[in-house]
Amino acid sequence: MGVVQLWWKYRQIVVDSILDGLERLALTSDNLSVRTSAAIWLGTPGETDPPMPGIVVRLERVYRSSEDFAVRRALLTPAMWQRDTAAAVSFLELVARDDRPEDRVSDEPPPLIAVQHLADLGPRGRVVLERLNQEGSVKNRRARVQLDWLAKRDYRMR
């Protein structure tokens, strides 16, 4: 996977082809490990220096398209490490607002993880958490409990 780690050393068409393939694997592979690994690798070019533009758009596209709980959760780890913090915060806000029925039975649903990651992203994340709290737009029960707890701590995990 050196191409996604060193994306700037390769022709754009090659990198895009690999990223398109990772998206396809994350959404369609019969193997859970392949789907989640592809989801994680998809974010790698956005974590590098320099970061590849448009990676968070790909993460969001897979998140919106996937019915797979494990894939949607796997996308949140690379989202946290994106160099494009503004795009990462927007994506995590979208996930924090999400309320899918299948997430309601999990101990660690994607909206909860998104709220936790937003708290770890410093001032930009805290601004979003405060807005989400004021709007009451976090619907997942576990994420809501976490947001209420964070509000008492000035939206900081530590």
Side-chain angles (χ1 to χ4, degrees):
M1 285 306 203
V3 173
V4 294
Q5 292 171 316
L6 303 171
W7 65 270
W8 62 90
K9 293 186 175 186
Y10 297 87
R11 292 186 12 228
Q12 189 66 45
I13 194 167
V14 171
V15 177
D16 285 341
S17 176
I18 290 170
L19 293 173
D20 291 346
L22 287 170
E23 280 190 56
R24 212 169 18 265
L25 285 171
L27 291 170
T28 64
S29 176
D30 292 334
N31 184 301
L32 175 62
S33 293
V34 170
R35 288 192 310 273
T36 56
S37 293
I40 291 167
W41 275 104
L42 187 59
T44 301
E47 299 170 24
T48 61
D49 190 16
M52 182 177 178
I55 294 301
V56 177
V57 171
R58 287 178 180 271
L59 296 175
E60 184 176 329
R61 183 168 49 232
V62 172
Y63 184 88
R64 288 179 185 267
S65 300
S66 182
E67 298 290 324
D68 188 327
F69 175 82
V71 168
R72 288 185 295 108
R73 277 189 52 186
L75 292 164
L76 300 180
T77 298
M80 170 77 179
W81 299 109
Q82 295 301 297
R83 298 276 183 148
D84 183 352
T85 309
V89 165
S90 272
F91 173 56
L92 291 169
E93 179 178 2
L94 169 112
V95 175
R97 293 174 185 271
D98 199 12
D99 188 33
R100 299 183 191 202
E102 62 270 24
D103 294 345
R104 295 179 193 149
V105 296
S106 168
D107 288 339
E108 291 189 344
L112 169 63
I113 296 168
V115 165
Q116 292 168 339
H117 285 345
L118 283 165
D120 284 333
L121 285 174
R124 280 187 170 172
R126 287 194 297 272
V127 166
V128 170
L129 289 172
E130 188 173 2
R131 183 175 64 245
L132 289 170
N133 194 27
Q134 288 171 350
E135 293 172 354
S137 54
V138 173
K139 303 301 181 200
N140 179 276
R141 184 180 56 81
R142 291 187 186 276
R144 181 82 226 160
V145 167
Q146 181 74 32
L147 183 58
D148 290 344
W149 180 81
L150 286 166
K152 294 173 188 165
R153 300 177 48 107
D154 196 30
Y155 301 101
R156 298 171 197 269
M157 287 291 286
R158 292 170 188 76

